[in-house]
Amino acid sequence: MFGQMMDQPLLISSQISFAERFHADVEVVTRTVEGPIHRSTWGEVARRSRRLANALLKMGVREGDRVATIAWNTQRHLELYFAVSGLGAILHTINPRLSPEQLAYVVDHAADEWVFFDTTFVKLAEILAARPKSTVRGFVAMTDEAHRPASSIEGLLVHDTLLEAESDALVWPTFDERTASSLCYTSGTSGHPKGVVYSHRSTVLHSYAVTMTDTLALSAADVTLPVVPMFHVNAWGVPYACAMVGSKLVLPGPGLDGKSLTELVEAEGVTSLLGVPTVWANLLAHLASEGKKLGTVKKVVIGGSACPGTMIEAFEKGHNARVIHAWGMTETSPVGTVNVMLPEHEGMPWSEVLSYKLKQGRPMYGVDLRIVDDEGTELPRDGKASGHLQIRGPWVASGYFRQEGSDTHHDGWFATGDIATLDARGTMQITDRSKDVIKSGGEWISSIDLENAALACPGVQTAAAFGLPHPKWQERPMLVVVRAPGTELTANEVMSFLAGRMPRWWLPDAIEFVEALPIGPTGKVLKRTLRERFAGYVFST
Ligand code: ADP
């Protein structure tokens, strides 16, 4: 016997309709690409999304068609989130930091029909428009007529002009909640990027998940500023969740530097920040140089790569803002685990709190985790055994777009490529990416632990550890350090700092200084580039 509850599909359009009905006056504020701050509301975003949807229908966009964006976090991008998916079409958010070859690859692979772009990216749009064979039918500049870019693109349309020609009368269509809603390609640091296709159901469930108190706790009480880009994993689902709960949303546009973010936080009274460690490193450096504090900010969600202890301490002790360390992937929508304190941690000394906060956290309901050995046998959840992390759940990808078979899926589990430990409560700690782990004499050295230790050394601005081939040990660790400005740090000083903080055999065999670390399109250090750069390096020991 079935229950007698209403069979209403979980659709993204219901989130924006809810926002319009129940918190139409809550603000949506954008630092625009054109420059000024633009003030709007969820009510206006809802109306403009329907006008945009009417325009898309006239442009021939139908259920299942792909509409691409190359854009910052702005209100127009938000309108596309709701208009494209609301119609049952698929929003393909493209990372503008992809190389021109990867850009062309993802547009072809997705078979995008329309490309909406911020005027910052007009050159990328022109590269795409100049290609002789393409599925793209046209390009739309995400601006108003006054800021129409001078461009060679034939028949270029303008976002606001499209909207002005339309009415906001539209009833969002109803369809199966498993319908595809958006598409995001992993950055593809090796091989071609792979497309992850989200559904309405997965997106709405994930939105509920990130509003739970013991996760990211997105709330009506918050003023939320997602620095995490809307071109990467739907800005961690923040735009959908904020529409659902009625949080004031502040969108940083192209201003991701410390000064622009500080201004926005101060002007809008931001309480909740979300982003990757590289962005926060810049923000903290700016605040320190200006002698400023993050007055209104209560919590900072940090994920995307391991969050260093020094960063947690700077936010919590220096700025009185709670750090929520989270882990996820493009394939997991992205939130998989979140680190929040439990009652048993009450009264813990700060040093222990800090080492707990370095862990990636616990899965929320909906996500199941396990670790397995090289043969696929499950390992104990004892906080000690480390193995290949696997995940499953209704917002975890079951495969990749237009790709037969998958070497990352086994018996209903997705192999994350991360190496981690798990304890009985599900607390997960990543020791490495499987491709970054340093294999020395049959044992594993965690590059993350090495980096964390190095980052605590005075005078170290950033650091990366990676393995290089070694005739006797298979691999040995190398540490590459960027000195803090104005310091004269030496390799010996770093080495003596590390000695005693880790097992002797973990100590790097070499320490080199560089001007900057190579950073990939999603803000992560490109270890592969470092390994290539130092290939053939001869250890002196
Ligand atoms: P891509 O770089 O391909 O876009 P994702 O953004 O999906 O990939 O990155 C997912 C990977 O990022 C994870 O598998 C993990 O290695 C790393 N990662 C994400 N969050 C954390 C975290 N909190 N700590 C350590 N590593 C993390």
Side-chain angles (χ1 to χ4, degrees):
M1 182 175 117
F2 287 118
Q4 289 184 308
M5 293 297 119
M6 292 184 186
D7 204 0
Q8 226 170 272
L10 303 174
L11 298 180
I12 288 170
S13 55
S14 68
Q15 297 179 318
I16 191 68
S17 300
F18 185 86
E20 184 177 25
R21 197 187 288 279
F22 298 113
H23 33 261
D25 58 335
V26 175
E27 279 191 301
V28 174
V29 179
T30 304
R31 183 192 291 282
T32 61
V33 174
E34 295 82 5
I37 300 290
H38 176 78
R39 312 198 77 80
S40 182
T41 59
W42 278 111
E44 194 185 336
V45 169
R47 287 188 295 279
R48 283 180 54 102
S49 300
R50 290 199 300 273
R51 288 160 76 159
L52 178 57
N54 277 325
L56 290 167
L57 286 171
K58 285 219 179 108
M59 289 154 70
V61 173
R62 295 293 176 265
E63 191 174 322
D65 290 350
R66 267 79 74 195
V67 176
T69 57
I70 313 177
W72 302 110
N73 293 9
T74 67
Q75 183 183 326
R76 293 190 184 96
H77 206 175
L78 190 64
E79 291 159 7
L80 282 153
Y81 263 50
F82 292 107
V84 173
S85 305
L87 288 175
I90 303 168
L91 184 80
H92 172 202
T93 51
I94 299 180
N95 187 333
R97 301 189 192 115
L98 293 181
S99 66
E101 296 74 40
Q102 285 180 324
L103 186 76
Y105 173 85
V106 297
V107 169
D108 286 348
H109 190 266
D112 292 325
E113 297 203 15
W114 291 92
V115 177
F116 283 70
F117 64 91
D118 269 334
T119 51
T120 325
F121 305 119
V122 63
K123 288 277 170 291
L124 295 182
E126 283 171 352
I127 292 173
L128 291 175
R131 300 169 69 236
K133 272 208 284 178
S134 165
T135 50
V136 179
R137 294 160 55 192
F139 291 81
V140 184
M142 291 164 69
T143 186
D144 55 17
E145 211 51 55
H147 295 90
R148 172 190 278 272
S151 167
S152 59
I153 300 173
E154 213 175 298
L156 177 66
L157 299 172
V158 171
H159 187 106
D160 282 11
T161 313
L162 284 175
L163 263 74
E164 280 151 23
E166 299 299 330
S167 97
D168 64 10
L170 174 100
V171 177
W172 293 113
T174 302
F175 39 78
D176 191 311
E177 64 184 17
R178 292 166 301 177
T179 303
S181 57
S182 63
L183 170 62
C184 181
Y185 282 79
T186 61
S187 59
T189 39
S190 59
H192 280 310
K194 291 188 277 192
V196 175
V197 187
Y198 307 101
S199 70
H200 285 258
R201 175 184 154 79
S202 73
T203 304
V204 173
L205 290 176
H206 180 266
S207 308
Y208 278 117
V210 294
T211 59
M212 292 199 291
T213 313
D214 283 340
T215 64
L216 309 190
L218 299 181
S219 146
D222 273 323
V223 176
T224 307
L225 195 168
V227 185
V228 49
M230 289 171 74
F231 56 72
H232 191 53
V233 212
N234 302 320
W236 298 351
V238 173
Y240 307 115
C242 284
M244 207 167 91
V245 298
S247 168
K248 171 173 167 181
L249 183 61
V250 181
L251 299 170
L256 305 183
D257 57 289
K259 180 169 178 288
S260 307
L261 290 175
T262 306
E263 278 170 15
L264 214 47
V265 166
E266 286 175 348
E268 301 302 327
V270 170
T271 62
S272 175
L273 289 169
L274 302 97
V276 297
T278 37
V279 165
W280 304 136
N282 293 335
L283 176 66
L284 288 168
H286 172 77
L287 291 165
S289 73
E290 300 283 306
K292 283 193 166 177
K293 294 283 171 207
L294 275 176
T296 49
V297 175
K298 293 198 196 104
K299 64 173 189 247
V300 186
V301 180
I302 307 181
S305 48
C307 176
T310 45
M311 185 170 283
I312 297 176
E313 193 151 62
F315 279 122
E316 299 226 340
K317 297 291 175 197
H319 295 275
N320 206 18
R322 183 162 70 103
V323 166
I324 301 181
H325 186 191
W327 166 88
M329 307 180 70
T330 305
E331 288 88 339
T332 65
S333 294
V335 184
T337 63
V338 185
N339 186 318
V340 287
M341 305 305 282
L342 297 172
E344 66 215 44
H345 300 131
E346 206 124 320
M348 245 189 189
W350 171 246
S351 61
E352 283 173 38
V353 170
L354 190 58
S355 51
Y356 182 74
K357 280 186 172 257
L358 283 175
K359 301 181 182 187
Q360 278 67 21
R362 303 163 66 227
M364 70 274 255
Y365 168 75
V367 163
D368 194 8
L369 291 179
R370 70 174 186 183
I371 45 171
V372 299
D373 65 14
D374 287 344
E375 279 71 49
T377 309
E378 193 170 348
L379 294 168
R381 289 159 210 260
D382 58 6
K384 293 193 192 77
S386 92
H388 304 279
L389 179 70
Q390 300 189 337
I391 185 170
R392 64 180 176 191
W395 55 86
V396 176
S398 62
Y400 292 103
F401 188 46
R402 292 176 52 201
Q403 185 174 302
E404 288 302 314
S406 160
D407 53 4
T408 47
H409 289 81
H410 315 276
D411 344 312
W413 291 83
F414 167 66
T416 63
D418 286 323
I419 306 292
T421 59
L422 273 180
D423 71 13
R425 286 211 185 281
T427 314
M428 190 268 283
Q429 180 158 30
I430 294 194
T431 50
D432 244 314
R433 272 314 268 170
S434 53
K435 56 184 188 301
D436 290 337
V437 77
I438 304 160
K439 299 185 187 91
S440 173
E443 299 283 348
W444 288 353
I445 299 175
S446 159
S447 66
I448 295 183
D449 284 353
L450 242 173
E451 286 157 11
N452 261 324
L455 285 169
C457 173
V460 171
Q461 180 164 305
T462 54
F466 52 94
L468 285 182
H470 188 281
K472 178 162 174 209
W473 299 110
Q474 184 186 359
E475 274 184 350
R476 286 296 299 155
M478 161 143 206
L479 183 73
V480 167
V481 172
V482 180
R483 287 188 186 96
T487 54
E488 309 263 319
L489 194 66
T490 65
N492 279 342
E493 284 164 348
V494 179
M495 198 63 96
S496 6
F497 181 86
L498 295 177
R501 286 181 164 79
M502 56 181 60
R504 262 182 70 82
W505 63 278
W506 281 30
L507 288 173
D509 276 22
I511 297 179
E512 290 287 329
F513 291 93
V514 293
E515 289 299 308
L517 296 179
I519 304 287
T522 55
K524 289 173 219 218
V525 175
L526 294 175
K527 300 242 177 125
R528 195 169 54 118
T529 310
L530 284 171
R531 278 191 289 265
E532 280 163 12
R533 178 163 162 199
F534 288 96
Y537 188 92
V538 182
F539 290 119
S540 54
T541 50

